[in-house]
Amino acid sequence: MGIRAAYVHIPFCEHICYYCDFNKVFLKNQPVDEYLDALEREIELTLKQYPTDHLETIFIGGGTPTALNEPQMQRLMEIIQKHLLPLTGDDLEYTVESNPDGVSEEKLDIMKAGGVNRVSFGVQSFDDGLLERIGRTHREAKVAQTLDAAAKRFDNISVDLMFGLPNQTLDQVRYDVSRALQLPITHISSYSLILEPHTVFAIQERKGKLPLPTQDLEAEMYQVMIDTIEAGGYAQYEISNFAQTGKESRHNRVYWENDEYYGFGAGSHSYINQTRRANIAPIPHYIKAEGLPVRKETPLTNVERMEEEMFLGLRMKDGVSLERFQTKYGVAFEDVFGDVMKRLLPNGLVEQTETHIRLTPAGVPLANEVFAEFIGEAQVQ
């Protein structure tokens, strides 16, 4: 199977959220136009060296893609239209990440005209006080206004919500979910706070100044999210993702199915020819790079690929397809991970059907522990 997906990174933000560790910089005084030139150059070189015959998804993320002004957004759309859209078909999923307070109606029109058919909004919460505490600049009223404008142009809209935030309460989580379900959306991603190194929150935590919920309360928040979102008509199809029927994120599924994808832009990652690649992250160095701006290449062995197949694929509610595993790696799942399953099955954290290996409801909250069981355990002759 050829490369199915393309991720395009726009590393500019108008503000920096306290929890974010993605490759990003303040927008002011940045060489945005030069960056877009370098981005186009990377796309051209990559497609020449690693061609594909059909892209199923394009995802523009960041940073904050909608931090670009209107002419810059138009230029970005033209780059995609010239180099990537010719590789797609009628089944394309084309997403742009957006901030509720950073996208004008003109930008939405530019995106729509450029072929975008899905928009993802980083809402995180509807509590104005909590939004301020995590470094977000939008407020609840702006979310409704922006999503109303987006819904006039797009029929596939996702929102991100967060839980496990400093001083967050269970009632706030309930309100966030119930409020999201009132909006014209088709998809919800719900993520717990992860303290990444070098973020504002990580620094505060080291100083003992970050009042986080207990593990038990965070687990309760997660369960409340699951129950409330599913009661609202959305199916949980992955550990952190819920969708109306037919509106699952096809781009993210490429990652979870451990298939190959392009990653364009400063600091982006790609998976091509069984090799994971990381791009140069500093923007000036990315712009000046001669040839492909790759900083690191990590070829994967067949064993490493099979292990990744498990800890990525088990994130999905359907789990890992036994038939697909054998087709992809030329060996039966039982011959590789049979001993692991003998240990896991009695614990009730995973189950094996005729077609799949998947987490049980009891296994979902302990997913990371299950994933770890597959690392270094492949039995290959």
Side-chain angles (χ1 to χ4, degrees), residues 108-134:
L108 291 172
D109 287 337
I110 291 169
M111 289 155 51
K112 177 72 173 179
V116 174
N117 56 22
R118 184 176 184 269
V119 185
S120 178
F121 287 97
V123 173
Q124 318 313 355
S125 176
F126 291 92
D127 185 283
D128 287 352
L130 187 55
L131 287 167
E132 184 173 359
R133 287 197 297 275
I134 67 176

Side-chain angles (χ1 to χ4, degrees), residues 277-379:
R277 294 175 171 84
N279 271 2
I280 297 168
I283 292 171
H285 296 171
Y286 173 82
I287 290 173
K288 294 176 182 177
E290 296 182 6
L292 292 177
V294 176
R295 174 182 60 83
K296 182 180 179 181
E297 294 187 332
T298 307
L300 299 184
T301 66
N302 213 38
V303 167
E304 289 170 330
R305 292 172 62 225
M306 288 189 286
E307 291 172 351
E308 290 192 359
E309 190 84 11
M310 298 310 299
F311 67 71
L312 291 170
L314 284 173
R315 293 187 60 89
M316 297 181 290
K317 190 169 186 178
D318 291 344
V320 176
S321 164
L322 298 174
E323 180 181 359
R324 192 173 189 274
F325 186 98
Q326 181 155 358
T327 300
K328 198 169 181 179
Y329 300 106
V331 61
F333 170 84
E334 291 81 3
D335 294 339
V336 180
F337 293 115
D339 289 347
V340 177
M341 294 301 292
K342 288 176 183 177
R343 296 198 305 269
L344 287 175
L345 286 171
N347 296 332
L349 301 181
V350 298
E351 61 184 1
Q352 182 169 347
T353 68
E354 290 185 5
T355 59
H356 286 77
I357 306 294
R358 63 191 181 198
L359 294 174
T360 63
V364 171
L366 301 173
N368 287 336
E369 296 178 23
V370 175
F371 300 161
E373 289 293 324
F374 289 92
I375 305 303
E377 296 297 325
Q379 303 294 317

Side-chain angles (χ1 to χ4, degrees), residues 184-369:
I185 62 174
T186 56
H187 187 280
I188 297 174
S189 296
S190 63
Y191 301 108
S192 64
L193 174 66
I194 298 175
L195 293 178
E196 302 287 1
H198 312 302
T199 61
V200 172
F201 276 169
I203 295 169
Q204 290 178 349
E205 197 273 337
R206 286 197 297 271
K207 294 180 177 179
K209 297 181 178 180
L210 193 69
L212 296 174
T214 64
Q215 286 186 337
D216 287 345
L217 178 55
E218 185 174 316
E220 192 174 358
M221 289 175 172
Y222 179 55
Q223 193 59 52
V224 164
M225 278 197 151
I226 293 174
D227 294 343
T228 310
I229 295 172
E230 288 191 328
Y234 294 69
Q236 184 180 22
Y237 69 98
E238 190 266 350
I239 288 175
S240 301
N241 287 271
F242 306 79
Q244 294 178 358
T245 302
K247 298 298 185 179
E248 298 84 359
S249 171
R250 291 168 51 210
H251 184 84
N252 285 344
R253 184 174 287 274
V254 171
Y255 301 151
W256 300 324
E257 291 180 347
N258 202 25
D259 284 339
E260 298 193 341
Y261 55 89
Y262 298 114
F264 302 116
S268 67
H269 292 75
S270 59
Y271 183 30
I272 302 172
N273 286 355
Q274 301 179 21
T275 298
R276 296 203 178 276
R277 294 175 171 84
N279 271 2
I280 297 168
I283 292 171
H285 296 171
Y286 173 82
I287 290 173
K288 294 176 182 177
E290 296 182 6
L292 292 177
V294 176
R295 174 182 60 83
K296 182 180 179 181
E297 294 187 332
T298 307
L300 299 184
T301 66
N302 213 38
V303 167
E304 289 170 330
R305 292 172 62 225
M306 288 189 286
E307 291 172 351
E308 290 192 359
E309 190 84 11
M310 298 310 299
F311 67 71
L312 291 170
L314 284 173
R315 293 187 60 89
M316 297 181 290
K317 190 169 186 178
D318 291 344
V320 176
S321 164
L322 298 174
E323 180 181 359
R324 192 173 189 274
F325 186 98
Q326 181 155 358
T327 300
K328 198 169 181 179
Y329 300 106
V331 61
F333 170 84
E334 291 81 3
D335 294 339
V336 180
F337 293 115
D339 289 347
V340 177
M341 294 301 292
K342 288 176 183 177
R343 296 198 305 269
L344 287 175
L345 286 171
N347 296 332
L349 301 181
V350 298
E351 61 184 1
Q352 182 169 347
T353 68
E354 290 185 5
T355 59
H356 286 77
I357 306 294
R358 63 191 181 198
L359 294 174
T360 63
V364 171
L366 301 173
N368 287 336
E369 296 178 23

